[in-house]
Amino acid sequence: MGSAESALVVFAYQAATNFLPIFGAIVSDALLGRFLTISLTLFSCMIGAILLWLTIVVPILVAEDYANKDQDNQSCHSPTTLQLFVLLTSLMFLSIGASGVRPCSLPFGVDQFTHWRGAQKDRALKVLFRWYYLSMGGSAIISITLIVYLQDKLGWRIGFAISIAIAAFATFLNIVTSPLYIKVKPQKSTWISLVQVIFIAIRNRHIQLPKAGDNDLHYHNIRGLTMVPSSKMRFLNRACVLRAHVNSSNTEVLNANSWNVCTVEQVEDTKRALSVIPMWSAMITSLLIPTASFRVLQAETMDRRVGTTKFQMPAGSIAIFEVITFTLWLGCFDKFIVPLLQKITRTEKTLSHKQKMGIGVLFSIACALSASVVEAIRRKQAISQGLKNNIDGVVNMSVLWLAPQCVFAGLIGAFGSIGQIEFYYAVLPKTMSSLALALLPLASGVANIASTMIVKLVKVITCSGGRVGWLPNNLNQGHYDYFYFVLAMLGIVGFIYFVACCYWFEEPSPNQLVETNEDEANMS
């Protein structure tokens, strides 16, 4: 398979892995429940890993390029229909697996503390979140280092077999421990009510809203609750207005059909779901900047020796600095950073979710600026060594110069990504917890597409008139430092937009959201 076809397959797989979790979250919250969704998608992961392993084990499924990799064969052979079918099927099962495991794992863990109350529950959830984030970083470190090392030394057959063993063990462990779990039943009405609120609000667009201070009987409430809808997104308030009170001369009797009128609680839940969209969009630039990085290509042109040893760091392993930063920061934050901040500020409160997200955006700008500076230095050094036209030349410059931008990228995840998850989880209704975990990979998918479009646009603009452009295959002839600087400017614009969204966003008022004992009724 040629490089263009391979890139297309990888791009499609990444897009599916990032976009499918949003559907997995909906299916989990509305139809299957989190435990069943996790169980089915774990099984899907195992099937995908087995099929992928078969593509390098079964002779009829092995691509000719892989079979002849030890020979001096520079030509590319197209895979057969059967080989391509099995490969794409394996990637499809892996993507389906990610669609359930990624958005449901953390909310399912939170479900286990449903019956807990007060400070004990808060402490337990903090420990759960911290270990969940640490497991993310730890698994990434293992996959980047140990699994890749074993694949290089022992071959892909052993490497893929290890992946199968891990997936099979996780699936088996999940089934065996099933009786120990608390399983919350799905609530289809939560997602249907979102559609109902929007539909009824549009249908009632000509209804005049009650004046401020009017009796709350103008609005539809249930279970003895007397709530008045908030003033933000007032057009949605028409969905819960009782038509019998719109006009004193109107004698229409209220129809109990939920497609005629919604409750105030339904309207407020819909507002909470819609209110995160601007904040979600404001974080895309912070995910786009590290995605659009060419640090692996830069690492290939730099001195990758570690210390005085003969060991050379693989160019693709440069991301280890990002993962280590992410893991170490999360491991130290609650134990060391939070107490220090509390001592400095003399308050129990530290950083809010929005502040963490904002810091993540600022680190993305720092990541782009540091990448621009390092690339300018690397290019200048390459030209001084006479390597401008030598695409394979190694610059007398340590690959560790790329470490700062990788550290900033890790801090983007530690602040921006984690802040997003916590923000969505706090704002969205409890019945939509899986959506909170699905919004981050969705933003990553949008960032991947946007970064691809930006790279192509920059190439088209800078290569006009027969010029080399900023992003040629030979880094020494281009100006990747200019490209990184443009990303930094884009990050600044994104930060301004983020601040505007924070100013617009209103935290839900306590008098509009009433806690109920509904969770106990939903236990299986």
Side-chain angles (χ1 to χ4, degrees), residues 209 228-235 237 268 271 506 512:
L209 290 172
V228 175
S230 60
S231 58
K232 67 176 183 179
M233 300 189 208
R234 294 184 72 246
F235 61 94
N237 292 351
E268 290 303 312
K271 290 180 179 180
E506 297 179 12
Q512 295 162 357

Side-chain angles (χ1 to χ4, degrees), residues 114-160:
T114 299
H115 296 300
W116 294 33
R117 291 291 181 268
Q120 184 186 20
K121 182 175 182 178
D122 292 338
R123 288 194 298 269
L125 291 181
K126 285 183 180 179
V127 173
L128 173 66
F129 274 69
R130 181 169 67 249
W131 279 104
Y132 175 78
Y133 300 144
L134 288 174
S135 67
M136 290 171 55
S139 61
I141 291 176
I142 293 174
S143 63
I144 293 176
T145 56
L146 180 60
I147 302 298
V148 172
Y149 176 81
L150 292 176
Q151 286 181 345
D152 288 341
K153 296 298 182 181
L154 303 179
W156 285 16
R157 296 185 180 186
I158 302 299
F160 284 177

